[in-house]
Amino acid sequence: MTISGNGYLKKMRGVTSTPPRVSLSEIVWSWMGAFLGISAVAYLNYVILDGSDMNLMLGSFGASAVLVYGAIKSPLAQPRNLIGGHVFSGFIGVASYKLFHPCMWMAAAIAVATALALMHITKTLHPPGGATALIAVIGGEKVHNLGFLYPIMPAGLGAIIMLVVALLVNNIPKTRKYPEFWI
Amino acid sequence: MSQGEEKDKRSLFRPEISDSDIYEAMKEIPGYLDITPGDLKEVYSHAYRHALDRIAGSLRARDLMTRTVYTIRRDTPLRDVAGILASNEISGVPVIDADMRVLGIISEKDFCSHMGDRTAKSLMEVIADCINNQCCFAMTIREKNAEDIMTTPVITVHEDATLRQITTVLAKNNINRVPVVDSQGCLVGIVSRADIVRVSF
């Protein structure tokens, strides 16, 4: 078995084509969902909670919006994954920071890798969860001060608001339905 | 069965589906599908094989068999047997007793191997001998009865046998038909290769 032979390098050429482009109405409804979902979270964060020390917004929700409004059939975009992915990953991120923060690069790496593993174990794989875990480490003093509240709020609560918007918006057009499964 | 044969059998059952079929199917489903056409095709191929396995395991002899079976007795003269085979355009017929129990089976092969003074394996061999010797070898079996040339004991399958079990029996014994019997051993039908072709996909 050689590396240059018909195995290792050949695999890098790819074997299939990109999936078809979605229809215009799909694009419009995806846009609408993402706009309303992020609006809801951002409005609560910037207007309602303004002045309080509570926070609802997380960078990783941008990634969640792509999945739960733009790829709504994906197993990665289902409610179980959306909520579970953010809550479990948030918890892992906080724990990793608390345990390893004298060594930030280690805390960051452990957080993301362990969050990924836990999401696999719990069948809640949700890519933005990796960001949620990372933000718990690199998010600065404001995030660190939340401690183990972070996986509940903003991570869990923000995800629930996005889920409610997804349920409301994704089921309006005839051609869409959400979710594929709950449990 | 060797590994090579197993692989041949697999490729025989590969679904005839192209990359563009998959691509077009994906386009017909509204919304973004979080899977590549290649993966989807692979999933489809596996599912297709499982479906074949399931069908092969769920179709039973009683679903496949021909129920109206021409039969003969052990003392039926061979000229009548040949007549039954010829007029009904069948190539084999079970020999039964008064209780419908299968005693044996007679096929074209049995005729061939008992005609002439040597054992022929096929009809073509008999014809070739006839042409070369300018005589008819059928004379040697003219006065004989079914029991003189029938294959016995006969291989039978139970009416609960699955399609897979039947095809295995046919292939292993290199036979073209197999009588189907009930739990009492009485003839209830016959499954031929043609019956299996008929239910094939």
Side-chain angles (χ1 to χ4, degrees), chain A residues 16-20 26 70-71 73-74, chain B residues 23 27 30-35 37-38:
Chain A
T16 183
S17 58
T18 173
E26 186 69 21
K73 290 179 198 290
S74 170
Chain B
Y23 193 84
K27 270 166 72 177
Y32 183 75
L33 290 177
D34 192 14
I35 187 168

Side-chain angles (χ1 to χ4, degrees), chain B residues 64-79:
Chain B
L64 307 165
M65 66 189 188
T66 304
R67 283 166 195 277
T68 43
V69 189
Y70 297 98
T71 56
I72 50 172
R73 294 303 184 82
R74 62 159 71 228
D75 56 358
T76 306
L78 284 182
R79 74 178 88 84

Side-chain angles (χ1 to χ4, degrees), chain B:
Chain B
M1 184 175 282
S2 76
Q3 222 173 0
E5 280 174 14
E6 181 69 25
K7 213 175 163 189
D8 283 349
K9 217 173 111 194
R10 284 267 166 87
S11 61
L12 203 71
F13 286 132
R14 273 203 114 70
E16 287 290 324
I17 192 161
S18 71
D19 289 0
S20 71
D21 291 336
I22 294 281
Y23 193 84
E24 291 304 315
M26 287 177 78
K27 270 166 72 177
E28 282 168 24
I29 296 172
Y32 183 75
L33 290 177
D34 192 14
I35 187 168
T36 63
D39 280 352
L40 191 52
K41 189 177 169 187
E42 201 179 332
V43 170
Y44 183 88
S45 304
H46 285 284
Y48 187 85
R49 188 166 46 76
H50 282 293
L52 286 183
D53 285 355
R54 177 172 50 76
I55 292 163
S58 65
L59 269 181
R60 294 179 185 276
R62 70 162 66 81
D63 309 316
L64 307 165
M65 66 189 188
T66 304
R67 283 166 195 277
T68 43
V69 189
Y70 297 98
T71 56
I72 50 172
R73 294 303 184 82
R74 62 159 71 228
D75 56 358
T76 306
L78 284 182
R79 74 178 88 84
D80 294 348
V81 178
I84 288 168
L85 292 179
S87 58
N88 298 300
E89 292 181 4
I90 53 176
S91 58
V93 59
V95 184
I96 59 165
D97 66 12
D99 298 325
M100 293 289 283
R101 264 173 250 281
V102 188
L103 303 173
I105 194 160
I106 292 184
S107 70
E108 285 171 357
K109 265 187 226 166
D110 297 308
F111 277 94
C112 294
S113 60
H114 287 84
M115 283 160 70
D117 36 56
R118 69 187 190 92
T119 307
K121 284 192 204 72
S122 70
L123 178 63
M124 265 351 259
E125 234 174 278
V126 174
I127 291 171
D129 281 352
C130 284
I131 293 169
N132 290 333
N133 297 315
Q134 296 182 328
C135 67
C136 182
F137 289 107
M139 292 307 161
T140 58
I141 56 168
R142 196 173 180 178
E143 302 305 325
K144 288 185 176 173
N145 293 335
E147 61 187 335
D148 297 321
I149 69 164
M150 70 183 184
T151 297
T152 188
V154 64
I155 298 156
T156 60
V157 293
H158 191 265
E159 55 185 341
D160 285 334
T162 63
L163 174 56
R164 163 160 328 193
Q165 289 166 333
I166 298 165
T167 51
T168 307
V169 166
L170 294 180
K172 264 205 180 137
N173 301 290
N174 196 25
I175 53 179
N176 294 317
R177 70 199 65 70
V178 60
V180 182
V181 295
D182 63 14
S183 298
Q184 280 76 50
C186 298
L187 182 72
V188 290
I190 193 162
V191 174
S192 68
R193 290 189 184 228
D195 293 320
I196 291 169
V197 171
R198 198 160 38 78
V199 298
S200 291
F201 329 89

Side-chain angles (χ1 to χ4, degrees), chain A residues 8-156:
Chain A
Y8 187 67
L9 287 178
K10 201 176 171 186
K11 287 192 205 168
M12 297 184 193
R13 292 204 310 218
V15 291
T16 183
S17 58
T18 173
R21 173 179 290 118
V22 297
S23 66
L24 182 62
S25 88
E26 186 69 21
I27 295 170
V28 170
W29 281 107
S30 298
W31 186 93
M32 189 65 78
F35 177 81
L36 294 174
I38 297 296
S39 289
V41 178
Y43 184 82
L44 287 168
N45 182 70
Y46 290 113
V47 180
I48 308 294
L49 298 179
D50 190 35
S52 77
D53 48 357
M54 285 194 289
N55 181 35
L56 203 57
M57 189 47 101
L58 263 185
S60 51
F61 290 159
S64 288
V66 172
L67 283 168
V68 302
Y69 308 117
I72 67 176
K73 290 179 198 290
S74 170
L76 305 174
Q78 301 310 305
R80 176 192 172 100
N81 301 65
L82 173 64
I83 307 298
H86 280 295
V87 172
F88 290 139
S89 300
F91 178 82
I92 293 293
V94 173
S96 181
Y97 174 76
K98 284 185 183 297
L99 288 170
F100 302 108
H101 70 87
C103 178
M104 284 297 278
W105 71 263
M106 173 76 86
I110 295 275
V112 175
T114 310
L116 162 54
L118 183 61
M119 287 190 286
H120 262 319
I121 290 168
T122 55
K123 298 212 297 173
T124 59
L125 194 66
H126 185 64
T132 298
L134 188 57
I135 291 166
V137 177
I138 66 171
E141 202 179 333
K142 199 178 170 192
V143 169
H144 296 153
N145 288 341
L146 292 171
F148 282 107
L149 178 63
Y150 173 80
I152 309 301
M153 182 171 170

